[in-house]
Amino acid sequence: MYLLILSPQLWAQLDEEMVEELVIPLSQPGKPGILEVNQIYGGITVTGYDGNEVIIVARQKKMHRTEPMKNGLRRIQNNSMALEVEEADNHVEVVSKNWGSDGRAVLNLEVQVPRNFNLKLKNINDGATHVEQVRGDLEISNINHDIILMDVSGSAVVDSINGTIKAVFNEVSSDNQLAFTSFNEDVDITLPAEVKADFKLQTEYGEIYTGFDIDFSATAPQIKREKGSGSYKVKLEKWVSGQANGGGAGIVLKSHSGDLIIRTDE
């Protein structure tokens, strides 16, 4: 386990932000692994590179200096950066301990991983999620900010409530499964023109746009009944479906209020 705790005294010496780097060796260099990150306040950027280590750069605002109080005593802000990292069998888990709710708690993480690596990323407030040049199984959730995937490949399950999702895939194989959900914002994905895919799309109040020459068809509404507390809840779901290049990978896009946009790389 790697435990990074930066003291308030060190923070007070810096002008703008605290920056710290951790280099995590993998138990099995050269083999695929998984990066798991859990963030409450702050963004996550993950970039694939030609290396066999996981490199983490943490950035956080400097601690405010002590402030006088009415009784003449001085209050000391206890806002030290705390970052815990564990590695076992190529599973790297990163947990930031920034649980405060003000701006000083925002901790931004910049991570480099080998290009063939699986990702499991979760963050909630005050920062977007960026992933670039990574091939693997991508499980990404950001509640209140955008998710941007560039030059990626593999399977993906991506969701947000208040953020836009934008993804550019350089390769999608027939056994990949892709699912993108944003409750309030747009879902915008770019796929290779030759991709073989089965699309399933749903938006309540948005529009659907596509660069593929596909005859999409609306399926009959599906009725879901849920029983609880002596009553029934009935939910109607209507999907639009279609195939590209004969069908293949399952690709699902869903939004409540946003548009669904499917582009080709041509």
Side-chain angles (χ1 to χ4, degrees):
M1 176 191 297
Y2 294 80
L3 180 61
L4 171 63
I5 300 179
L6 300 176
S7 69
Q9 291 82 1
L10 179 57
W11 250 20
Q13 297 172 7
L14 299 178
D15 292 332
E16 294 296 334
E17 65 178 358
M18 185 70 205
V19 180
E20 187 68 17
E21 178 178 295
L22 288 174
V23 178
I24 313 300
L26 297 174
S27 301
Q28 304 176 62
K31 294 186 177 181
I34 180 170
L35 171 70
E36 183 173 355
V37 180
N38 290 282
Q39 274 271 67
I40 297 178
Y41 298 100
I44 303 171
T45 298
V46 180
T47 305
Y49 82 113
D50 296 322
N52 291 318
E53 299 172 320
V54 173
I55 303 171
I56 302 170
V57 176
R59 300 178 183 274
Q60 193 170 29
K61 292 181 181 179
K62 71 174 184 178
M63 187 187 74
H64 284 192
R65 296 185 182 277
T66 56
E67 301 172 359
M69 298 180 69
K70 290 182 180 180
N71 59 7
L73 299 176
R74 291 159 65 91
R75 182 179 64 185
I76 298 176
Q77 300 280 358
N78 185 19
N79 290 344
S80 59
M81 184 193 299
L83 188 67
E84 183 175 298
V85 183
E86 293 186 5
E87 190 280 339
D89 297 326
N90 279 22
H91 182 176
V92 179
E93 183 175 6
V94 182
V95 179
S96 56
K97 304 290 187 176
N98 57 330
W99 295 320
S101 60
D102 62 11
R104 295 184 298 274
V106 175
L107 174 63
N108 293 308
L109 298 176
E110 301 168 5
V111 187
Q112 289 181 280
V113 299
R115 295 189 190 277
N116 292 317
F117 226 69
N118 302 319
L119 303 180
K120 187 174 182 180
L121 312 178
K122 294 181 180 180
N123 55 334
I124 299 175
N125 297 310
D126 298 316
T129 303
H130 295 259
V131 176
E132 186 171 355
Q133 299 182 20
V134 176
R135 176 188 180 92
D137 295 331
L138 311 178
E139 184 178 339
I140 301 172
S141 176
N142 189 329
I143 301 300
N144 290 315
H145 218 295
D146 298 343
I147 299 172
I148 301 172
L149 314 179
M150 301 296 294
D151 194 20
V152 298
S153 58
S155 296
V157 177
V158 182
D159 67 85
S160 179
I161 294 178
N162 297 314
T164 296
I165 296 174
K166 182 175 182 180
V168 178
F169 282 76
N170 57 32
E171 181 184 353
V172 177
S173 63
S174 59
D175 59 346
N176 290 148
Q177 299 294 313
L178 308 180
F180 307 90
T181 303
S182 178
F183 189 82
N184 287 319
E185 300 295 338
D186 296 345
V187 177
D188 185 338
I189 67 171
T190 301
L191 303 169
E194 68 277 8
V195 67
K196 297 179 181 295
D198 291 295
F199 292 103
K200 189 176 180 182
L201 316 173
Q202 184 191 69
T203 179
E204 295 290 337
Y205 297 104
E207 303 291 340
I208 297 175
Y209 303 92
T210 178
F212 285 90
D213 186 13
I214 300 175
D215 291 327
F216 287 95
S217 61
T219 60
Q222 300 179 1
I223 301 176
K224 292 186 177 181
R225 292 182 173 86
E226 300 176 5
K227 184 178 181 181
S229 303
S231 62
Y232 281 93
K233 177 181 178 182
V234 179
K235 182 179 181 181
L236 298 177
E237 292 190 347
K238 189 173 183 179
W239 293 85
V240 174
S241 60
Q243 288 187 334
N245 300 312
I251 301 178
V252 177
L253 280 70
K254 185 176 182 179
S255 180
H256 180 265
S257 303
D259 293 337
L260 305 180
I261 305 163
I262 305 171
R263 308 175 190 268
T264 70
D265 60 1
E266 292 184 345

